[in-house]
Amino acid sequence: MQILKFTSEVEEYNHYNELLEEEQLLVKAAIKAADNAYAPYSGFSVGAALLLQDGTVVTGSNQENVAYPSGLCAERTAMFWAGANHPQKAIVTLAIFAKSEDFEVVDPVYPCGSCRQVMSEYERIGKQPMRIIMTAATGKVHAVNGLINILPVAFDADNLKR
Ligand code: THU
């Protein structure tokens, strides 16, 4: 028996104003997108902004439903819109921002497992590591270069090959 260990590399910034100008703009787009969240049940508004390979920025926000599982996270709302309207364009960077009606979101919000799985698919077809910038209402940032840092050993298309 052997123990296999997987390591992650995460950049931490005290504030998103320490990021590159282009990335700051993407974070600001995610902050703005969170204002369009439809989150009457959780009171937790999330915004996502994607930078596509040609410079296009696509945004999304979480859209809840009274039948709770029918709702969708901000990240998937944005990724599916990008996939539907800009097929063939790789997602270079994805920024996430979250705020709550009830408390201050102090630490950067990481995407849920289902969103990570969807990111994995788009990263694969985009043929480049996706940069993911996770932010909080405090401005604090965690960023990774490549989904492998937040979803190691993903289930992917290779697993379906004989
Ligand atoms: N949510 C997102 O949109 N993205 C995340 O990364 C975490 C969770 C949404 C789903 C739901 O509408 C609300 O936040 C509370 O879970």
Side-chain angles (χ1 to χ4, degrees), residues 108-129:
V109 167
Y110 280 55
C112 79
S114 297
C115 288
R116 292 181 203 199
Q117 183 64 35
V118 172
M119 287 174 189
S120 164
E121 187 87 16
Y122 284 115
E123 183 180 74
R124 188 179 170 90
I125 61 174
K127 297 190 175 70
Q128 59 178 282

PDB file of all heavy atoms in Angstrom, residues 108-129:
ATOM      1  N   PRO A 108     -12.641  34.267   1.193  1.00  0.00           N
ATOM      2  CA  PRO A 108     -13.016  34.019  -0.203  1.00  0.00           C
ATOM      3  C   PRO A 108     -13.899  32.783  -0.329  1.00  0.00           C
ATOM      4  O   PRO A 108     -13.680  31.782   0.357  1.00  0.00           O
ATOM      5  CB  PRO A 108     -11.673  33.769  -0.891  1.00  0.00           C
ATOM      6  CG  PRO A 108     -10.661  34.431  -0.019  1.00  0.00           C
ATOM      7  CD  PRO A 108     -11.176  34.329   1.374  1.00  0.00           C
ATOM      8  N   VAL A 109     -14.884  32.883  -1.216  1.00  0.00           N
ATOM      9  CA  VAL A 109     -15.823  31.766  -1.411  1.00  0.00           C
ATOM     10  C   VAL A 109     -15.332  30.884  -2.551  1.00  0.00           C
ATOM     11  O   VAL A 109     -15.091  31.353  -3.667  1.00  0.00           O
ATOM     12  CB  VAL A 109     -17.239  32.323  -1.694  1.00  0.00           C
ATOM     13  CG1 VAL A 109     -18.156  31.235  -2.220  1.00  0.00           C
ATOM     14  CG2 VAL A 109     -17.815  32.928  -0.421  1.00  0.00           C
ATOM     15  N   TYR A 110     -15.162  29.615  -2.233  1.00  0.00           N
ATOM     16  CA  TYR A 110     -14.735  28.635  -3.230  1.00  0.00           C
ATOM     17  C   TYR A 110     -15.969  28.038  -3.918  1.00  0.00           C
ATOM     18  O   TYR A 110     -17.007  27.870  -3.285  1.00  0.00           O
ATOM     19  CB  TYR A 110     -13.941  27.510  -2.545  1.00  0.00           C
ATOM     20  CG  TYR A 110     -12.500  27.851  -2.251  1.00  0.00           C
ATOM     21  CD1 TYR A 110     -12.166  28.982  -1.502  1.00  0.00           C
ATOM     22  CD2 TYR A 110     -11.471  27.050  -2.712  1.00  0.00           C
ATOM     23  CE1 TYR A 110     -10.832  29.295  -1.232  1.00  0.00           C
ATOM     24  CE2 TYR A 110     -10.134  27.359  -2.443  1.00  0.00           C
ATOM     25  CZ  TYR A 110      -9.825  28.474  -1.703  1.00  0.00           C
ATOM     26  OH  TYR A 110      -8.499  28.778  -1.447  1.00  0.00           O
ATOM     27  N   PRO A 111     -15.854  27.708  -5.193  1.00  0.00           N
ATOM     28  CA  PRO A 111     -17.015  27.138  -5.894  1.00  0.00           C
ATOM     29  C   PRO A 111     -17.420  25.775  -5.339  1.00  0.00           C
ATOM     30  O   PRO A 111     -16.575  25.027  -4.839  1.00  0.00           O
ATOM     31  CB  PRO A 111     -16.524  27.001  -7.340  1.00  0.00           C
ATOM     32  CG  PRO A 111     -15.052  27.135  -7.305  1.00  0.00           C
ATOM     33  CD  PRO A 111     -14.675  27.869  -6.066  1.00  0.00           C
ATOM     34  N   CYS A 112     -18.694  25.469  -5.448  1.00  0.00           N
ATOM     35  CA  CYS A 112     -19.201  24.176  -4.960  1.00  0.00           C
ATOM     36  C   CYS A 112     -18.691  23.051  -5.864  1.00  0.00           C
ATOM     37  O   CYS A 112     -18.163  23.285  -6.962  1.00  0.00           O
ATOM     38  CB  CYS A 112     -20.730  24.186  -4.919  1.00  0.00           C
ATOM     39  SG  CYS A 112     -21.503  23.919  -6.522  1.00  0.00           S
ATOM     40  N   GLY A 113     -18.882  21.838  -5.429  1.00  0.00           N
ATOM     41  CA  GLY A 113     -18.384  20.671  -6.172  1.00  0.00           C
ATOM     42  C   GLY A 113     -18.959  20.564  -7.575  1.00  0.00           C
ATOM     43  O   GLY A 113     -18.234  20.231  -8.522  1.00  0.00           O
ATOM     44  N   SER A 114     -20.249  20.854  -7.716  1.00  0.00           N
ATOM     45  CA  SER A 114     -20.853  20.735  -9.056  1.00  0.00           C
ATOM     46  C   SER A 114     -20.251  21.768 -10.002  1.00  0.00           C
ATOM     47  O   SER A 114     -19.998  21.476 -11.180  1.00  0.00           O
ATOM     48  CB  SER A 114     -22.370  20.941  -8.974  1.00  0.00           C
ATOM     49  OG  SER A 114     -22.945  19.941  -8.187  1.00  0.00           O
ATOM     50  N   CYS A 115     -20.015  22.973  -9.509  1.00  0.00           N
ATOM     51  CA  CYS A 115     -19.406  24.007 -10.362  1.00  0.00           C
ATOM     52  C   CYS A 115     -17.977  23.624 -10.723  1.00  0.00           C
ATOM     53  O   CYS A 115     -17.525  23.848 -11.846  1.00  0.00           O
ATOM     54  CB  CYS A 115     -19.451  25.373  -9.683  1.00  0.00           C
ATOM     55  SG  CYS A 115     -21.110  26.074  -9.626  1.00  0.00           S
ATOM     56  N   ARG A 116     -17.248  23.038  -9.772  1.00  0.00           N
ATOM     57  CA  ARG A 116     -15.873  22.603 -10.081  1.00  0.00           C
ATOM     58  C   ARG A 116     -15.889  21.555 -11.186  1.00  0.00           C
ATOM     59  O   ARG A 116     -15.038  21.548 -12.079  1.00  0.00           O
ATOM     60  CB  ARG A 116     -15.203  22.025  -8.825  1.00  0.00           C
ATOM     61  CG  ARG A 116     -14.960  23.080  -7.772  1.00  0.00           C
ATOM     62  CD  ARG A 116     -14.279  22.520  -6.539  1.00  0.00           C
ATOM     63  NE  ARG A 116     -14.550  23.394  -5.398  1.00  0.00           N
ATOM     64  CZ  ARG A 116     -13.851  23.426  -4.279  1.00  0.00           C
ATOM     65  NH1 ARG A 116     -12.829  22.642  -4.116  1.00  0.00           N
ATOM     66  NH2 ARG A 116     -14.192  24.256  -3.304  1.00  0.00           N
ATOM     67  N   GLN A 117     -16.854  20.655 -11.147  1.00  0.00           N
ATOM     68  CA  GLN A 117     -16.946  19.618 -12.170  1.00  0.00           C
ATOM     69  C   GLN A 117     -17.199  20.246 -13.546  1.00  0.00           C
ATOM     70  O   GLN A 117     -16.597  19.855 -14.558  1.00  0.00           O
ATOM     71  CB  GLN A 117     -18.063  18.625 -11.822  1.00  0.00           C
ATOM     72  CG  GLN A 117     -18.190  17.464 -12.776  1.00  0.00           C
ATOM     73  CD  GLN A 117     -16.952  16.560 -12.778  1.00  0.00           C
ATOM     74  OE1 GLN A 117     -16.305  16.365 -11.748  1.00  0.00           O
ATOM     75  NE2 GLN A 117     -16.617  16.028 -13.937  1.00  0.00           N
ATOM     76  N   VAL A 118     -18.074  21.247 -13.576  1.00  0.00           N
ATOM     77  CA  VAL A 118     -18.376  21.927 -14.849  1.00  0.00           C
ATOM     78  C   VAL A 118     -17.149  22.719 -15.319  1.00  0.00           C
ATOM     79  O   VAL A 118     -16.807  22.717 -16.507  1.00  0.00           O
ATOM     80  CB  VAL A 118     -19.634  22.816 -14.703  1.00  0.00           C
ATOM     81  CG1 VAL A 118     -19.853  23.673 -15.940  1.00  0.00           C
ATOM     82  CG2 VAL A 118     -20.862  21.941 -14.456  1.00  0.00           C
ATOM     83  N   MET A 119     -16.461  23.363 -14.385  1.00  0.00           N
ATOM     84  CA  MET A 119     -15.227  24.084 -14.747  1.00  0.00           C
ATOM     85  C   MET A 119     -14.219  23.116 -15.365  1.00  0.00           C
ATOM     86  O   MET A 119     -13.524  23.458 -16.330  1.00  0.00           O
ATOM     87  CB  MET A 119     -14.575  24.684 -13.487  1.00  0.00           C
ATOM     88  CG  MET A 119     -15.296  25.864 -12.932  1.00  0.00           C
ATOM     89  SD  MET A 119     -14.493  26.331 -11.370  1.00  0.00           S
ATOM     90  CE  MET A 119     -15.671  27.518 -10.812  1.00  0.00           C
ATOM     91  N   SER A 120     -14.147  21.923 -14.802  1.00  0.00           N
ATOM     92  CA  SER A 120     -13.202  20.916 -15.276  1.00  0.00           C
ATOM     93  C   SER A 120     -13.448  20.597 -16.756  1.00  0.00           C
ATOM     94  O   SER A 120     -12.518  20.487 -17.558  1.00  0.00           O
ATOM     95  CB  SER A 120     -13.358  19.672 -14.395  1.00  0.00           C
ATOM     96  OG  SER A 120     -12.787  18.558 -14.972  1.00  0.00           O
ATOM     97  N   GLU A 121     -14.720  20.493 -17.110  1.00  0.00           N
ATOM     98  CA  GLU A 121     -15.091  20.203 -18.510  1.00  0.00           C
ATOM     99  C   GLU A 121     -14.665  21.354 -19.431  1.00  0.00           C
ATOM    100  O   GLU A 121     -14.081  21.140 -20.485  1.00  0.00           O
ATOM    101  CB  GLU A 121     -16.613  20.017 -18.577  1.00  0.00           C
ATOM    102  CG  GLU A 121     -17.130  19.546 -19.904  1.00  0.00           C
ATOM    103  CD  GLU A 121     -17.131  18.027 -20.045  1.00  0.00           C
ATOM    104  OE1 GLU A 121     -17.013  17.313 -19.029  1.00  0.00           O
ATOM    105  OE2 GLU A 121     -17.237  17.567 -21.184  1.00  0.00           O
ATOM    106  N   TYR A 122     -14.973  22.595 -18.999  1.00  0.00           N
ATOM    107  CA  TYR A 122     -14.623  23.742 -19.856  1.00  0.00           C
ATOM    108  C   TYR A 122     -13.113  23.961 -19.922  1.00  0.00           C
ATOM    109  O   TYR A 122     -12.587  24.391 -20.948  1.00  0.00           O
ATOM    110  CB  TYR A 122     -15.352  25.010 -19.401  1.00  0.00           C
ATOM    111  CG  TYR A 122     -16.817  25.004 -19.808  1.00  0.00           C
ATOM    112  CD1 TYR A 122     -17.836  24.963 -18.861  1.00  0.00           C
ATOM    113  CD2 TYR A 122     -17.177  25.012 -21.157  1.00  0.00           C
ATOM    114  CE1 TYR A 122     -19.175  24.942 -19.231  1.00  0.00           C
ATOM    115  CE2 TYR A 122     -18.514  24.988 -21.541  1.00  0.00           C
ATOM    116  CZ  TYR A 122     -19.504  24.957 -20.578  1.00  0.00           C
ATOM    117  OH  TYR A 122     -20.816  24.929 -20.963  1.00  0.00           O
ATOM    118  N   GLU A 123     -12.431  23.662 -18.829  1.00  0.00           N
ATOM    119  CA  GLU A 123     -10.971  23.789 -18.848  1.00  0.00           C
ATOM    120  C   GLU A 123     -10.386  22.804 -19.858  1.00  0.00           C
ATOM    121  O   GLU A 123      -9.492  23.133 -20.628  1.00  0.00           O
ATOM    122  CB  GLU A 123     -10.393  23.532 -17.457  1.00  0.00           C
ATOM    123  CG  GLU A 123      -8.886  23.731 -17.407  1.00  0.00           C
ATOM    124  CD  GLU A 123      -8.324  23.484 -16.018  1.00  0.00           C
ATOM    125  OE1 GLU A 123      -8.226  22.309 -15.603  1.00  0.00           O
ATOM    126  OE2 GLU A 123      -7.984  24.458 -15.342  1.00  0.00           O
ATOM    127  N   ARG A 124     -10.935  21.609 -19.848  1.00  0.00           N
ATOM    128  CA  ARG A 124     -10.447  20.567 -20.760  1.00  0.00           C
ATOM    129  C   ARG A 124     -10.666  20.961 -22.222  1.00  0.00           C
ATOM    130  O   ARG A 124      -9.759  20.886 -23.034  1.00  0.00           O
ATOM    131  CB  ARG A 124     -11.184  19.267 -20.441  1.00  0.00           C
ATOM    132  CG  ARG A 124     -10.666  18.055 -21.148  1.00  0.00           C
ATOM    133  CD  ARG A 124     -11.465  16.840 -20.722  1.00  0.00           C
ATOM    134  NE  ARG A 124     -11.150  15.691 -21.544  1.00  0.00           N
ATOM    135  CZ  ARG A 124     -10.197  14.811 -21.275  1.00  0.00           C
ATOM    136  NH1 ARG A 124      -9.468  14.942 -20.207  1.00  0.00           N
ATOM    137  NH2 ARG A 124      -9.963  13.803 -22.084  1.00  0.00           N
ATOM    138  N   ILE A 125     -11.867  21.443 -22.537  1.00  0.00           N
ATOM    139  CA  ILE A 125     -12.108  21.794 -23.943  1.00  0.00           C
ATOM    140  C   ILE A 125     -11.396  23.096 -24.317  1.00  0.00           C
ATOM    141  O   ILE A 125     -11.078  23.311 -25.477  1.00  0.00           O
ATOM    142  CB  ILE A 125     -13.621  21.830 -24.320  1.00  0.00           C
ATOM    143  CG1 ILE A 125     -14.388  22.869 -23.525  1.00  0.00           C
ATOM    144  CG2 ILE A 125     -14.249  20.457 -24.172  1.00  0.00           C
ATOM    145  CD1 ILE A 125     -15.846  23.019 -23.978  1.00  0.00           C
ATOM    146  N   GLY A 126     -11.116  23.942 -23.335  1.00  0.00           N
ATOM    147  CA  GLY A 126     -10.398  25.195 -23.598  1.00  0.00           C
ATOM    148  C   GLY A 126      -8.900  24.982 -23.749  1.00  0.00           C
ATOM    149  O   GLY A 126      -8.173  25.884 -24.175  1.00  0.00           O
ATOM    150  N   LYS A 127      -8.426  23.795 -23.374  1.00  0.00           N
ATOM    151  CA  LYS A 127      -7.017  23.393 -23.538  1.00  0.00           C
ATOM    152  C   LYS A 127      -6.030  24.337 -22.845  1.00  0.00           C
ATOM    153  O   LYS A 127      -4.907  24.545 -23.323  1.00  0.00           O
ATOM    154  CB  LYS A 127      -6.650  23.265 -25.022  1.00  0.00           C
ATOM    155  CG  LYS A 127      -7.421  22.180 -25.754  1.00  0.00           C
ATOM    156  CD  LYS A 127      -6.835  21.952 -27.141  1.00  0.00           C
ATOM    157  CE  LYS A 127      -7.477  20.820 -27.878  1.00  0.00           C
ATOM    158  NZ  LYS A 127      -8.843  21.039 -28.318  1.00  0.00           N
ATOM    159  N   GLN A 128      -6.455  24.955 -21.753  1.00  0.00           N
ATOM    160  CA  GLN A 128      -5.507  25.748 -20.964  1.00  0.00           C
ATOM    161  C   GLN A 128      -5.982  25.796 -19.518  1.00  0.00           C
ATOM    162  O   GLN A 128      -7.192  25.737 -19.264  1.00  0.00           O
ATOM    163  CB  GLN A 128      -5.360  27.163 -21.526  1.00  0.00           C
ATOM    164  CG  GLN A 128      -6.639  27.971 -21.591  1.00  0.00           C
ATOM    165  CD  GLN A 128      -6.370  29.376 -22.118  1.00  0.00           C
ATOM    166  OE1 GLN A 128      -5.890  30.245 -21.422  1.00  0.00           O
ATOM    167  NE2 GLN A 128      -6.691  29.598 -23.378  1.00  0.00           N
ATOM    168  N   PRO A 129      -5.037  25.886 -18.577  1.00  0.00           N
ATOM    169  CA  PRO A 129      -5.447  25.927 -17.174  1.00  0.00           C
ATOM    170  C   PRO A 129      -6.303  27.166 -16.925  1.00  0.00           C
ATOM    171  O   PRO A 129      -5.990  28.258 -17.407  1.00  0.00           O
ATOM    172  CB  PRO A 129      -4.124  26.034 -16.404  1.00  0.00           C
ATOM    173  CG  PRO A 129      -3.057  25.706 -17.378  1.00  0.00           C
ATOM    174  CD  PRO A 129      -3.589  26.026 -18.748  1.00  0.00           C
TER     175      PRO A 129
END
